[in-house]
Amino acid sequence: MSTTPWVTWPALTKFGTIGIFGGLLVLSMERTELLNNNMFDVEDWDRHNADITCDERSLTARTEDGTCNILDNPAEGSVYTRFGRNVPLEQTYAETENDTLLVPNPREVSNVLMARGDTMQPATIVNFAAAAWIQFMVHDWFDHGPRMDGNDIVFPLPAGDPLGSGTMSVQRTQPDPSRTLAEAGRPATYQNTNTHWWDGSQIYGSDKETSDRVRAFVDGKLKVDADNTLPTEFLSGKPITGFNENWWVGLSMMHRLFTQEHNAIAERLKQSYPDATDQWLYDKARLINAALMAKIHTVEWTPAILDNPVLKRAMYANWWGVGGDQENREFFQQALDEMANNIEGIANLFTLLGIDADIANMEPGVIDHALGGLVGSRAPNNYDVPYTLTEEFVSVYRMHPLMRDDIEVYDVGSNVVSERIAIPDTRDGDAEDVLDSVGADRLWYSFGITHPGALVLENYPDFLRNLSMPLIGNIDMAAIDVLRDRERGVPRYNDFRRAIGLKPITQFEDLTSDPDLLANLKRLYNNDIELIDTLVGSLAEETRPDGFGFGETSFQIFILNASRRLMTDRFFTTDYTPEVYTPEGMAWVEGNTMVDVLKRHHPALSGALVGMDNAFKPWGLNMPAEYESWSAEQKQMHLWVNGAVRTEYSDGELPAQQDVDIGGLISSVLWDKVKVESDVAPAGYEKPIHPQAVMGRVQFNATSGHGFTGLFEGAGHGLLRLSITGDPEERGFAPGLALKLFVDGQPSRNVSALYTLSGQDSNYNFFANELSNYVSPEANDTLGSTVLFSMVTTKPTRLMVNAFAEVRENGDEVASPKAPTQIYFVPNSALTASLPSEPHDFRESLMTLTEGTKLYDVYATDVAIRTSIFPSLNNRLANERRNSARKVGELTLTSDLIASQFGDSGVFFKHQRYEDR
Ligand code: HEM
């Protein structure tokens, strides 16, 4: 038996696929346990049901207040019904001032254990959009409503508090108005003031009045202003939407996006069903939009923040399951078979890892559930406990440390902070102003590339610990978060773990190894582990399953509720069908991701999102398996925006010029250079020569009638890298270029060109001379590159351009390719005349060249390359070839030239050898 208090299933992943299935099985067994033991209902449903009639519309539409989802218990999950519990009711008595409500002092917990100080600990596995998203979701799921007036909870400010001496007071949670006398003496209950369902109520509201306020009543749409933004409340300036509390710009972004998405869905439906009523279109668009959000949360947000192979599969299974006709279901059907066939192997692994699981006596259906999936085709199943969210669920979503202190604003594609906006300056009525003045594209990009705070102790932003609330004054969210759990009878950490099937910890050291934190925990909790608050213990958990952004205690509650809100909902089970959603609606939900939604409403982000399969992971250069199949433009923009522009050096940060690394010119690097077909350098590849460069997007405008084929006939999407061989002070100024032209669905074509091997001495004008794909071998080749390249080719000073002639940009093969033998990049004479030839950093002068500048005329000849050992004859042959060359086109910048880390070391240009022509 294992002695660690922590779950051991994460160790299974190191056993590959079978281990992952084992992990899934453990999670499924845990969920079954939780479903059997950890759902407690505290509502009197009959009382609610008495007033509800489910009309015809409610059979195929979500109602405003969440009633009539479960037709034989129509109040289930509706607004103003009580939160249920995940721990036995006798453990849910509230703490009071007479006992432990104020022990330890919540403000001291905040000061000592929660305060972030000056430096945020980031959660680098996700981006800041993930923080705004989860608050957006939480506002769909639950709220306890406005706090109670009078009879505040009051406690002293601890000694040395930055707020001085005196007291802090916190309003109590609004009591449940539906309590009856008969319930006196039972644990307190609270009502959810939003519907419990995953129904988009943060957008659509949880009652008819709110719903009417947000609707346009035309073509099923939601109300937007002429500029497609949300109307705002006159006094507060906050958007008019389903739920607009605790507002800041991150919520403005989410609400605007999914309001626009609703309207896009309604438009799509209107096309197919032109005669449909506004009500019908609205109802369908809501169903579809809500399901899309639920799917995004299940298969994108969750696997981003719980980045673990077991979890990813579990979440995919939650959404797609098996047995249906979606492509993903087939994958899971196979997995299901494989798992059933491997039960013995999995059981052995469990024994090995001391996982306490009785596979032999497993409940029927556990395997099926592990991969069976909850969405679609199954009947809703509430395991005989009416569906509600729970106080414990609310508790684990207290994720306030996710908030940053400020927003770093970046221009799309840039990695240079252009402005910082403190989050408090984006709150309430300021949110829409910030969104409009900064611009939604820039804000989304900025959220995409920056991180939220990590869900750990000592990471509450200061602004949330001193939060000004209209009409209330300043509050401390960290103190409140701790206090609310105590007030609402959420057990303390160790009891909480015991109650949900986890092992209790036995010492403070189980939580953390940080000596200062340990000392503070012990002091505050008086050395009593049983006193640790659930939120504190959860944030303190240092041992977390690989890739997990939060710990296992919160996760246990999540396993249960994340599944339950899908498996109990008629619109995610029996009625998740083309009949109810429409075929267009099903396709919309299944066929779209958060990336698609962002691209639809923010086309300017397309470049930044190319290659991203999960919008909540930090946006960056990501080369997905299908990269090669993309269009030339997509590939160009991906490398440009996510590669070069993102890693552009800021002013004054150009790395010093390096010299050639002769030792690095080993044969493996050279072989890579001629063999690897890739636009990005293979792992570990370092450019031993031409280490520094500027790069820009280019197009090749062909002159007509030159007779060369394929890309020589013109290409709109290329990258041009301009570099020098090494440090010019060491070996003279030796300019060179690398050109990459992209092809739809096929590998790019690449060529490099030099003036001569040894360069142009002390002339630092990059455009002083023509460059070519063939240079004469030189007696004085100090670098010895001829000799070195001879290791991999018989013609070390010659690169081929045949591959350019074989294909057109659209991917069409050329039947009879015709390629030049030699091409010449002839500098634009205006540039030759204007660039300095005195010593300077060549990158500085090249970076003055902007989009639209013609850089080179390109000349080409098909005269065979013949050489001679007699220099004079050699020169004559070269001159003859040059004289025979005719202009085939021009190379023009379609962006500015910039210097970037990606341009220096990330991008890769294959050399086509003579042997590979
Ligand atoms: C600017 C950002 C935010 C502000 C100003 C804010 C503010 C608040 C306030 C004032 C409350 C009510 C406190 C009370 O019980 O008296 C609250 C509750 C809560 N917040 Fe936030 N919050 C923010 C971000 C977030 C985020 C990112 C999450 C992530 C999940 C989150 C999750 C919650 C939860 C779960 C509750 C409890 C709700 C309930 O008791 O029904 N909040 N927040």
Side-chain angles (χ1 to χ4, degrees), residues 1-12 14 30 350-356 493-494 497 501-512 541-545 552-553:
M1 272 311 268
S2 98
T3 50
T4 164
W6 310 113
V7 294
T8 45
W9 66 260
L12 284 162
K14 63 173 179 268
E30 274 175 21
F350 285 0
T351 316
L352 192 72
L353 293 172
I355 292 176
D356 189 8
Y493 181 69
N494 245 359
R497 285 180 60 89
L502 296 171
K503 292 183 193 156
I505 59 164
T506 55
Q507 49 180 352
F508 281 88
E509 285 75 5
D510 286 336
L511 286 176
T512 173
E541 286 170 9
E542 207 171 67
T543 307
R544 297 181 180 188
E552 65 178 54
T553 309

Side-chain angles (χ1 to χ4, degrees), residues 135 144 147 246 248 397-398 400 469 477 484 488:
Q135 192 189 13
H144 280 75
R147 291 148 289 262
N246 307 336
W248 64 293
Y397 277 95
R398 298 187 179 281
H400 290 115
M469 297 287 286
M477 277 308 302
R484 288 284 176 250
R488 296 175 189 166

Side-chain angles (χ1 to χ4, degrees), residues 83 131-132 134-135 138-139 142-145 147 170-171 173 246-248 394 397-400 402-403 423 427 463-464 467 469 475 477 480-481 484 488:
F83 287 99
I134 188 59
Q135 192 189 13
V138 158
H139 290 172
F142 56 77
D143 188 56
H144 280 75
R147 291 148 289 262
V170 171
Q171 291 174 300
T173 305
N246 307 336
W247 202 260
W248 64 293
V394 173
Y397 277 95
R398 298 187 179 281
M399 295 184 169
H400 290 115
L402 288 173
M403 292 304 299
I423 305 255
R427 288 184 58 209
F463 88 87
L464 278 180
L467 187 70
M469 297 287 286
I475 61 172
M477 277 308 302
I480 290 183
D481 277 340
R484 288 284 176 250
R488 296 175 189 166

Side-chain angles (χ1 to χ4, degrees), residues 283-332:
D283 285 341
K284 296 296 174 210
R286 176 184 181 166
L287 265 179
I288 296 162
N289 203 21
L292 176 60
M293 289 186 273
K295 187 190 96 171
I296 288 173
H297 186 83
T298 306
V299 299
E300 298 183 58
W301 185 86
T302 309
I305 199 150
L306 302 172
D307 186 11
N308 178 289
V310 175
L311 237 289
K312 185 167 181 187
R313 280 172 180 75
M315 289 299 105
Y316 275 45
N318 262 10
W319 189 264
W320 282 296
V322 292
D325 54 5
Q326 303 294 337
E327 198 184 309
N328 289 292
R329 293 183 198 214
E330 277 170 34
F331 167 74
F332 286 110

